[in-house]
Amino acid sequence: MIMLEGAKATTETVYALRTGAAVMKAIQKAMNIDDVDKTMDEINEQTENMKIQEALSTPIGAAADFDEDELEVELEELEGAELEEQLLQLTTAPAAPVQVPAGRQPARPIPQKRTVEEDELATLQAEMAL
Amino acid sequence: MMMHCLQPGKLQSKKIIFEDVFSARDSATLEHLKELSSRRRVIEESINQSSFITEAIAREMSGGLTSHCLRDLQKLEQYLPLLENLVFHVDLVCSNHHVACWISELKIRWSSALNSSSFFNLRGPKFFQIDNLRYELGMTLYLYAALLRERAIEILPTDLVKSATLFREAAGVFEHLAIEIFPSLQSAQSVERPPEATPSICTVMHLICLAEAQAVTIRKAEEKGTTVGLLAKLHYGIIELLGEATAILYSNTGECKDISSSFLEFISSCKALHELRSLKYLAESLKITEQLGVAIGVLRDALTNAKKKVPGEESWRAIFGKEIDAAADMLRKFEHENEFVWHEKIPAGDELPRLQGNKIVNAIPYNPKRWERELSLKI
């Protein structure tokens, strides 16, 4: 009985292996080495094109000497200084009507960070329906 | 725990029968006058405690309301629109001699709950008569506001939001009385009036109700574990509100003379209690920011002041005592820690930080309702 069971298992295993091999053969047949070569050539060609585009986007002349990160930091500093100047003008100058030129949108107010206390207060007021 | 004083709502009034005094030209007007009298009678019987209706019947008549306070509020909400309508029509013909006579024949009389002589009169409360329909309207509204406040106290243990809302509604009614009703009464009459019928006392009650609404809000904040810095400011906001009330009471307008000492003690004790709580929270926040020496100075100063202001009334004294014990415990722990670890200098007097208050509640404005029915009087 045990020998019969073992023979059956061996047969099933061999059958599975044979089927798998046949499927692999069929897949391999569909793939031609020439097609693979052709596909690889096309990929390499496209990679070359990307290198050309990258080369064209590189800054030339004086701009090539600038570091982008440094430029970002400098821009932030300039914006901060401009804002300080505006706030100073608002607090010292007498109130005057502000004329917004037609077609231009008014400047957005700068959002201020709320403290924990202010948040707690707002939540409490909401919960107590105040 | 909050201290409560239900004294302001203990008003009484003498009977008024409108149809015996005003002459109606038509049946609709007569019906209106009779209904006014009927609605007023149930209010009189309730506040004078002269009703023979049992609790069960009273509950059935009110549609199942178990709270005495709610039943009285319901009665007032049925009476006030009718009274507003009568006042409106009488104002249209107020210069008529007949109308002036009718109003004096009504004998509008109300007692005072805040007058000091009410406590010592063994023959019952003193009644004040003013021959002006606005007096009737004003005192009825005062009673309404006092009952709203009483209801707020009643439901405080179970519904903080509703309680705070009722305090704010009461504050709105008192504000309406101070601004719209009693100022016009003031110019017309020079007879003795109860303190309740003055703009000053109505403003005081308005401030007390706002302080109580803020105290309820603080309770909610404490349950939620709000930061101690904010709690200190909220308690100090109550002190500022009660401070304004005290300033009015002790001002020289003459309207606030002869106010009961119990009512005055209630306001000063509440102020002292919230000052102690505010400073206790301030000390906690100073400890958190590693200013233990300053925290000790604040607590010592707070306890010294609080011990001078312990109220006489038993229930208030218990609440006050508990708060003093808690502050004293905190002070002991801080002093122990400072003695063994930090050795920080302990400031006193002017070196101590000053608090700023935060008042976050406002009154809910009262909108009078009038039953718009045409009245025709035989003048």
Side-chain angles (χ1 to χ4, degrees):
Chain A
M1 284 292 291
I2 293 168
M3 280 172 66
L4 278 173
E5 271 186 26
K8 190 178 175 215
T10 308
T11 313
E12 282 176 3
T13 307
V14 169
Y15 177 74
L17 284 169
R18 199 181 290 155
T19 313
V23 168
M24 285 285 288
K25 209 171 167 181
I27 291 169
Q28 295 281 346
K29 228 184 205 175
M31 205 181 303
N32 188 346
I33 187 65
D34 290 333
D35 289 339
V36 171
D37 281 342
K38 196 173 164 190
T39 306
M40 288 304 294
D41 286 340
E42 279 174 13
I43 290 170
N44 287 333
E45 204 181 304
Q46 291 307 315
T47 310
E48 288 298 325
N49 287 343
M50 279 169 62
K51 280 185 187 167
I52 292 168
Q53 283 179 9
E54 208 178 296
L56 285 172
S57 67
T58 308
I60 52 173
D65 296 334
F66 294 145
D67 178 12
E68 280 199 13
D69 291 334
E70 281 180 16
L71 283 171
E72 290 275 356
V73 168
E74 208 177 313
L75 178 62
E76 277 174 22
E77 281 171 10
L78 279 169
E79 281 175 349
E82 201 183 310
L83 175 63
E84 270 180 40
E85 207 183 301
Q86 283 175 5
L87 286 172
L88 202 63
Q89 280 175 6
L90 281 171
T91 52
T92 54
V98 174
Q99 291 183 354
V100 178
R104 203 187 284 184
Q105 286 183 0
R108 252 185 268 161
I110 296 119
Q112 297 196 359
K113 282 185 190 168
R114 290 208 319 191
T115 62
V116 168
E117 206 172 277
E118 283 167 347
D119 282 338
E120 278 185 328
L121 204 54
T123 309
L124 184 62
Q125 285 174 309
E127 284 179 8
M128 294 299 289
L130 297 176
Chain B
M1 284 284 293
M2 281 170 64
M3 292 187 340
H4 299 303
C5 172
L6 297 179
Q7 180 188 348
K10 304 300 172 202
L11 297 171
Q12 291 188 18
S13 182
K14 295 285 192 190
K15 196 172 183 178
I16 291 179
I17 302 176
F18 291 92
E19 66 272 21
D20 282 357
V21 168
F22 286 92
S23 291
R25 199 183 286 279
D26 56 30
S27 59
T29 304
L30 181 61
E31 192 191 322
H32 189 93
L33 293 170
K34 283 184 171 176
E35 195 166 353
L36 260 171
S37 302
S38 164
R39 297 280 180 207
R40 198 185 193 278
R41 195 184 64 250
V42 292
I43 296 167
E44 282 159 23
E45 285 171 359
S46 180
I47 62 176
N48 297 343
Q49 296 177 348
S50 58
S51 172
F52 296 106
I53 295 173
T54 62
E55 178 66 24
I57 294 172
R59 194 168 56 241
E60 283 309 306
M61 284 172 67
S62 67
L65 295 175
T66 51
S67 158
H68 184 83
C69 190
L70 265 182
R71 291 200 291 265
D72 282 349
L73 281 167
Q74 187 187 59
K75 289 168 194 158
L76 285 161
E77 282 163 3
Q78 289 166 350
Y79 175 61
L80 278 164
L82 298 169
L83 183 60
E84 289 273 6
N85 193 39
L86 180 66
V87 170
F88 173 80
H89 282 87
V90 164
D91 278 351
L92 296 174
V93 292
C94 58
S95 54
N96 185 280
H97 174 69
H98 288 297
V99 172
C101 285
W102 291 340
I103 291 170
S104 65
E105 280 172 45
L106 276 179
K107 292 192 178 22
I108 305 168
R109 287 165 290 177
W110 286 83
S111 69
S112 171
L114 298 179
N115 190 286
S116 60
S117 57
S118 301
F119 287 94
F120 302 109
N121 195 344
L122 297 171
R123 287 176 293 179
K126 178 180 173 184
F127 286 86
F128 300 82
Q129 178 174 332
I130 299 179
D131 298 333
N132 191 312
L133 264 184
R134 270 202 163 61
Y135 177 56
E136 169 65 11
L137 179 62
M139 292 304 289
T140 309
L141 273 172
Y142 188 100
L143 177 64
Y144 181 63
L147 285 170
L148 282 173
R149 180 174 169 266
E150 208 172 298
R151 179 65 184 154
I153 293 168
E154 205 171 73
I155 65 166
L156 180 58
T158 52
D159 191 337
L160 291 176
V161 177
K162 182 71 183 164
S163 176
T165 304
L166 283 168
F167 277 122
R168 291 169 60 215
E169 283 180 14
V173 179
F174 282 122
E175 191 175 38
H176 175 75
L177 285 167
I179 295 171
E180 304 292 342
I181 306 294
F182 286 133
S184 59
L185 186 67
Q186 205 158 338
S187 56
Q189 301 286 336
S190 57
V191 295
E192 195 186 7
R193 68 184 60 211
E196 289 87 342
T198 58
S200 301
I201 292 296
C202 290
T203 306
V204 165
M205 289 304 302
H206 160 80
L207 291 164
I208 289 174
C209 287
L210 286 180
E212 288 170 326
Q214 180 135 329
V216 175
T217 306
I218 290 172
R219 222 156 111 160
K220 180 76 171 177
E222 285 168 347
E223 281 176 11
K224 281 158 54 72
T226 302
T227 51
V228 289
L230 179 56
L231 288 171
K233 287 178 187 169
L234 290 175
H235 274 290
Y236 205 80
I238 294 180
I239 297 165
E240 288 176 347
L241 286 164
L242 293 176
E244 285 178 52
T246 307
I248 293 171
L249 283 169
Y250 290 104
S251 68
N252 294 325
T253 61
E255 288 180 355
C256 306
K257 58 180 192 246
D258 211 22
I259 299 293
S260 89
S261 56
S262 173
F263 181 64
L264 295 173
E265 190 188 40
F266 167 68
I267 296 173
S268 70
S269 302
C270 271
K271 203 160 155 253
L273 179 68
H274 287 283
E275 186 175 11
L276 179 58
R277 285 176 175 164
S278 170
L279 292 171
K280 192 160 80 68
Y281 281 122
L282 174 63
E284 272 184 63
S285 72
L286 287 166
K287 165 91 164 57
I288 289 167
T289 55
E290 296 175 0
Q291 298 177 73
L292 189 60
V294 185
I296 291 171
V298 163
L299 277 173
R300 282 181 183 170
D301 192 52
L303 278 166
T304 305
N305 287 333
K307 283 172 183 168
K308 293 178 196 166
K309 297 171 187 169
V310 178
E313 207 273 335
E314 195 56 45
S315 61
W316 300 346
R317 189 201 282 269
I319 296 168
F320 215 86
K322 211 169 148 186
E323 212 56 48
I324 286 178
D325 290 344
D329 273 341
M330 187 184 282
L331 175 61
R332 258 193 302 277
K333 282 181 193 149
F334 287 4
E335 282 175 337
H336 184 80
E337 189 179 329
N338 194 45
E339 193 183 325
F340 283 97
V341 181
W342 306 110
H343 306 288
E344 285 185 18
K345 181 189 164 225
I346 298 163
D350 291 339
E351 294 173 321
L352 293 171
R354 290 276 165 257
L355 259 178
Q356 46 174 178
N358 202 331
K359 291 179 270 193
I360 62 168
V361 295
N362 47 15
I364 295 175
Y366 173 70
N367 294 313
K369 291 180 190 61
R370 178 171 76 87
W371 189 357
E372 291 178 20
R373 181 195 260 183
E374 277 302 313
L375 297 181
S376 181
L377 300 169
K378 217 184 274 182
I379 51 174

